């Protein structure tokens, strides 16, 4: 039996040395030390030994078991160290290699121009007002002096969610909401996304952006309107920019006008951008209608005001010479990289 134990010891040692992974080590442990292992089988036969041999063989068997357990422990530790070294080598980073280029995005031309316009009006004491894009029919139309039978209410022009809810067609409702909540003096701009039921083409989109402004205080006149918008035009298009106001009609202002600026490309001489006229239309404006002031909770006998509105998309297209509004919404990297 001693010879068998010695043989098991040598065979186990040989197999442990040849093992290359922890799974194989576990198989060896089961083979020799498990419940049905070689060493366990021999120990069960110790009952046939004489009383004198039994303690000697028992002691030697325990020594063999301890030896195999110790060798297995050493082998496992060695294998784990090797596996760690291989993992470290596989994760090695050569810090001398050139890094991967990180693509950095830019500011979208719509946001770029919007920020520029905001800065100009901030400098004149304006603040930003915001409102919901899903708007009540009252604020989108009635409070702006647009009666029930007005053509602007036609479903061909407006997205109706229900009889009393629409996707706002302009940011003008923000002006009424501001008047309801704020006592004059009021000086705000209201930029935001608006919706019209237009077919998509080079100059039309069902989604676009507007910037509207409102000033309400005692003694506000058309001169204040002209001075504010001329200041904006000169700061945005250049100090040599000239302005021209043409009479127009808007239901929410009276008197009303459209403002043109001298072409910043040709200086008013006439070119492709201004279609040979020397002028470019950029916005609509006027003195706030007394009925609109009343609906905003402001007494028109005590206060007056002016309002204006411009299409941000149009301003961007004019500024950068873009001839198709769809380019602003297609997110084509080749196009956006130019800005």
């Amino acid at each position: 039996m001693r010879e068998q134990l010695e043989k098991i010891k040598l065979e186990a040692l040989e197999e442990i040395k040849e093992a290359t992974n922890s799974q194989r080590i576990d198989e060896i442990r089961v083979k020799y030390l498990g419940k049905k292992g070689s060493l366990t089988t021999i120990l069960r036969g110790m009952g046939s030994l004489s009383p004198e041999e039994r303690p000697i063989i028992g002691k030697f068997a325990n020594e063999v078991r301890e030896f195999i357990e110790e060798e297995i422990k050493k082998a496992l530790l060695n294998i784990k160290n090797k596996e760690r070294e291989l993992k470290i080598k596989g994760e090695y980073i050569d810090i001398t290699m050139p890094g991967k280029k990180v693509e950095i995005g830019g500011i979208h031309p719509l946001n770029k121009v919007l920020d520029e316009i905001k800065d100009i009006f901030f400098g004149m004491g304006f603040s930003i007002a915001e409102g919901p894009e899903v708007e009540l029919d009252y604020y989108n139309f009635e409070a702006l002096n647009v009666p029930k039978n007005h053509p602007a209410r036609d479903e061909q022009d407006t997205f109706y969610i229900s009889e009393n809810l629409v996707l706002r067609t302009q940011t003008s409702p923000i002006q009424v909401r501001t008047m309801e909540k704020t006592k004059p003096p009021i000086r705000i701009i209201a930029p935001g996304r608006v919706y019209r039921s237009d077919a998509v083409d080079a100059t039309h989109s069902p989604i676009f952006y507007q910037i509207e402004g409102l000033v309400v205080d005692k003694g506000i006149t058309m001169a204040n309107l002209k001075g504010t918008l001329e200041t904006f035009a000169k700061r945005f298009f250049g100090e040599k920019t000239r302005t021209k106001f043409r009479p127009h009609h808007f239901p929410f202002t009276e008197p009303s006008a459209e403002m043109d600026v001298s072409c910043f490309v040709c200086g008013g001489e006439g070119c492709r951008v201004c279609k040979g006229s020397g002028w470019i239309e950029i916005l609509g404006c006027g003195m706030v209608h007394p009925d609109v002031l009343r609906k905003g909770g402001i007494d028109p006998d005590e206060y007056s005001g002016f309002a204006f509105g411009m299409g941000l998309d149009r301003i961007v297209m004019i500024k950068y010479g873009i001839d198709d509004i769809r380019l602003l919404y297609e997110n084509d990297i080749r196009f956006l990289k130019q800005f």
Side-chain angles (χ1 to χ4, degrees):
M1 189 173 283
R2 185 181 182 91
E3 290 175 357
Q4 288 178 316
L5 289 170
E6 194 70 51
K7 183 180 179 183
I8 288 172
K9 178 181 177 182
L10 294 174
E11 287 177 354
L13 181 61
E14 190 66 27
E15 289 189 37
I16 290 169
K17 287 181 178 179
E18 292 176 358
T20 57
N21 55 63
S22 54
Q23 183 180 349
R24 176 59 185 147
I25 291 292
D26 193 56
E27 291 172 356
I28 295 169
R29 181 187 62 76
V30 173
K31 179 180 178 180
Y32 290 100
L33 305 179
K35 289 181 179 180
K36 297 180 181 180
S38 303
L39 186 59
T40 306
T41 302
I42 290 176
L43 291 174
R44 284 174 183 164
M46 287 182 63
S48 60
L49 297 174
S50 64
E52 293 80 14
E53 291 179 312
R54 204 174 294 156
I56 298 171
I57 297 300
K59 182 182 178 183
F60 186 64
N62 286 331
E63 289 175 357
V64 171
R65 175 183 288 278
E66 290 174 4
F67 175 80
I68 294 173
E69 287 176 346
E70 187 63 28
E71 290 301 315
I72 285 174
K73 187 177 178 181
K74 289 178 183 178
L76 277 174
L77 183 62
N78 187 44
I79 287 170
K80 285 181 180 178
N81 289 336
K82 286 181 179 179
E83 288 175 348
R84 189 184 298 113
E85 287 176 9
L86 288 171
K87 186 178 180 182
I88 291 171
K89 286 180 180 179
E91 295 175 351
Y92 172 74
I93 299 174
D94 186 354
I95 59 173
T96 64
M97 289 181 67
K100 293 181 180 178
K101 185 179 178 181
V102 178
E103 292 289 342
I104 299 175
I107 299 175
H108 194 282
L110 284 170
N111 288 328
K112 194 171 185 179
V113 172
L114 176 58
D115 289 343
E116 190 176 344
I117 293 173
K118 283 180 182 177
D119 287 342
I120 293 170
F121 282 103
F122 285 161
M124 291 190 281
F126 284 72
S127 59
I128 289 180
E130 296 179 330
E133 293 182 19
V134 178
E135 186 57 274
L136 291 170
D137 176 275
Y138 171 78
Y139 287 107
N140 199 74
F141 294 122
E142 289 183 41
L144 296 170
N145 222 21
V146 181
K148 289 284 185 185
N149 60 349
H150 196 279
R153 289 174 171 266
D154 196 314
E155 290 184 5
Q156 292 179 351
D157 297 318
T158 306
F159 288 109
Y160 280 86
I161 295 173
S162 68
E163 187 178 347
N164 296 315
L165 278 178
V166 300
L167 293 181
R168 67 184 182 191
T169 57
Q170 63 243 333
T171 57
S172 305
I174 298 173
Q175 298 181 25
V176 181
R177 289 179 176 274
T178 301
M179 286 190 286
E180 286 181 342
K181 296 176 183 177
T182 310
K183 286 186 176 182
I186 296 169
R187 194 177 296 165
I188 58 122
I189 56 171
R193 188 164 44 202
V194 298
Y195 306 84
R196 303 267 177 91
S197 185
D198 289 332
V200 178
D201 58 28
T203 57
H204 296 85
S205 171
I207 302 173
F208 57 100
Y209 289 82
Q210 276 193 345
I211 304 172
E212 300 201 9
L214 173 70
V215 173
V216 178
D217 203 351
K218 293 179 179 179
I220 297 296
T221 67
M222 197 73 177
N224 300 117
L225 165 65
K226 291 182 69 176
T228 299
L229 295 181
E230 283 178 0
T231 299
F232 160 71
K234 288 181 182 295
R235 290 185 183 175
F236 187 79
F237 295 107
E239 287 299 322
K240 294 182 180 180
T241 301
R242 291 172 289 121
T243 59
K244 178 172 70 173
F245 291 82
R246 293 178 288 104
H248 197 70
H249 169 71
F250 298 111
F252 32 81
T253 54
E254 181 61 39
S256 303
E258 286 189 335
M259 187 181 91
D260 301 340
V261 296
S262 55
C263 181
F264 59 91
V265 176
C266 65
E269 297 295 324
C271 67
R272 181 184 63 84
V273 174
C274 61
K275 298 179 181 178
S277 69
W279 296 92
I280 300 173
E281 177 194 329
I282 63 165
L283 57 82
C285 58
M287 301 301 294
V288 180
H289 197 289
D291 287 345
V292 175
L293 288 173
R294 288 190 189 96
K295 286 186 170 73
I298 294 174
D299 184 358
D301 294 327
E302 185 178 359
Y303 293 97
S304 57
F306 67 79
F308 58 89
M310 66 188 89
L312 178 62
D313 307 69
R314 176 171 169 76
I315 299 294
V316 172
M317 291 171 74
I318 292 170
K319 183 178 178 69
Y320 293 116
I322 300 168
D323 59 6
D324 194 327
I325 193 173
R326 290 170 290 195
L327 291 168
L328 297 173
Y329 296 97
E330 290 174 345
N331 290 326
D332 189 326
I333 296 297
R334 296 168 299 177
F335 169 75
L336 295 177
K337 277 185 175 179
Q338 299 176 64
F339 305 94

